[in-house]
Amino acid sequence: MSATRIRVLVPGKINQRVIDRLAERFEVVRIESADPVPVSAQMQDVRAIAVSGRVPAALMDALPQLEIIANFGVGYDGVEVGHAAAKGITVSNTPDVLTEEVADTAIGLLLNTLRQLPQAEQWLRRGRWSREGAFPLSPLSLRGRTVGLYGLGRIGLAIAKRLEAFGVSIAYHTRSPREGLAYAYHPTLAGLAAAVDTLVVIVPGTEVTQRTVNDEVLSALGSNGVLINVGRGSTVDEPALIKALRTGVIAGAGLDVFENEPQVPEALMALPNVSLLPHVASASVATRNAMADLVADNIAAWFETGKALTPVPETPFTRRGA
Ligand code: NAP
Ligand code: 8YV
């Protein structure tokens, strides 16, 4: 089948390389956002969506010929995947190509949080080193820590491998233990938090993981405790975290993701014991290019071979008639 005239909808902003790659073979239709749902004759024969953001059920319902949604990102919490599965629409994501980059960033964020490296650089840049002397010693250190991973999938494992080289103890919580690993498994998140002093969140944002890092988990982590979140903001109860950081229930936090991005609570920004990044864990040119290619290649493969390259587990479909 020729793919040249197939119409692909792109709601909202996306990496330019996705547009350039798709435009080589498809007709790309851009709209500002998925809300409100577009109503136009053009929508009647849209067969694919490429997206970095939300695809609500209503958008799927407005596109009668929709076959595939290619998500820019390994996490696809913005796509109502249950609705897509029920309608026989395939959803693809971008696993593996970003794993090492995100793991690198997680380690950087962990060190920044513990050793206050961004604050130390500001001390130098603002002339305080020459005026006032040495930057104060960091109260926290990675030395002697026990790190718990909440999530030990592709990225969690890549973080754990890096942590091994730092000589820290490693434990984890997932729904089912991974075979063949020497890390201590904890069947509950609260149990993991009680056993470690550093908790790294790298689970998907789902209804089940929502706000699971709550008062109880933060209390269990303890007053020397540090929380690092590179998964999704929805997994952490942000007001509970702010309270815990303010009152010394835990010692510090490093966050790349937030509940209501790009809004970050003033109360969080005002805290001295946090290191904050604007969702940049995969944000290098090379990694974002690889993600963009995988989005375009998923759509091309779907129409050429009848199978997406990296469909999500909920939609293991092949194309009708392929
Ligand atoms: P993955 O390979 O699917 O791993 C997910 C891990 O989470 C698995 O170990 C899984 O184990 C565990 N998990 C899932 N649901 C759970 C639950 N309810 N309770 C406990 N554990 C649970 O995914 P990945 O490639 O490592 O990516 C993980 C997530 O990182 C993505 O979904 C995305 O949200 C986030 N991410 C963020 C950035 C960023 O820029 N900050 C970049 C990339 C990815 P079980 O199935 O055994 O529970
Ligand atoms: C991206 C991510 O920043 O892959 C993911 O799940 O969170 C990041 O790599 C995001 O998906 C694109 O905006």
Side-chain angles (χ1 to χ4, degrees), residues 87-110:
K87 292 184 75 110
I89 297 166
T90 290
V91 177
S92 66
N93 64 346
T94 60
D96 301 317
V97 295
L98 45 58
T99 294
E100 306 301 329
E101 194 80 75
V102 176
D104 290 347
T105 313
I107 297 295
L109 182 57
L110 173 64

Side-chain angles (χ1 to χ4, degrees), residues 183-200:
Y183 315 137
Y185 175 70
H186 292 266
T188 66
L189 176 56
L192 176 70
V196 303
D197 51 31
T198 310
L199 184 64
V200 178

Side-chain angles (χ1 to χ4, degrees), residues 52 71-76 94 98 102 231-232 257 279 282 288 291:
S52 175
N71 184 64
F72 183 83
V74 66
Y76 48 97
T94 60
L98 45 58
V102 176
R232 281 291 178 267
V257 287
H279 201 147
S282 68
R288 288 288 170 86
M291 292 164 65

